[in-house]
Amino acid sequence: MSTYPDEGEARTAMVRFAASLFQRGYAVGTAGNISVRLEDGYLITPTNSSLGFLDPARLSRLDAAFRPVAGDPPSKEVFMHRAFYETRPEAGAVVHLHSTMATAVAALEGVDPLAPIPPITPYFVMRIGRRLPLLPYFAPGDPAMGAAIAEAARGARAVLLANHGPVVSGKTLADAVAAAEELEEAAKLFLLLRGSAYRTLGVAEIAELERRFGG
Ligand code: 13P
């Protein structure tokens, strides 16, 4: 199971990655939330906090049963993060964003609900994988989202929530952030290419990436 053994390092990493995402426009206002798995619980960003201006000492500390034990009140999306940790033992971090292009795809009609963004680039396949389930719309903080995400996360490292945005897991926070960034870039490419004839990676090319870089 992936965990951060040093809570102080985990706090510093969360603040740095969150600020980096905010400064580059992946998160605006108070949108988005980030969590990491510790040996005996979790850290998650506080509700209504800006990812640009987090205080490491005020991050929400949860116990192993996801109950808040210290820090500011946790993100209303604890259910979303919990679903990944409980379903995917290798997940050490979860990143949820409302990043513009991925959220635009999440509002399109008629996309493939198992692969709403086609395999256009190798890094999208390597970081996100073959499946990116598009889940129905849930209001932010709706606990019903937890069961839907848990079901989808059995076969996927990331999901896209209709009209809301992506949720991405990774072994480490660096992995989850890099995957969320690749997802946003792939969404941008897909939207740029819509209406044009374009090439996607083929089945054999995807299998080769999985063989070389892990599936
Ligand atoms: P929180 O401020 O409660 O983390 O919610 C932000 C968000 O991104 C809702 O989806």
Side-chain angles (χ1 to χ4, degrees), residues 30-33 45-49 74-77 80 96 98 140 164:
T30 62
N33 30 73
T45 47
T47 190
N48 296 324
S49 58
S75 170
K76 66 176 93 57
E77 307 287 27
M80 163 197 290
H96 165 54
H98 299 172
H164 186 169

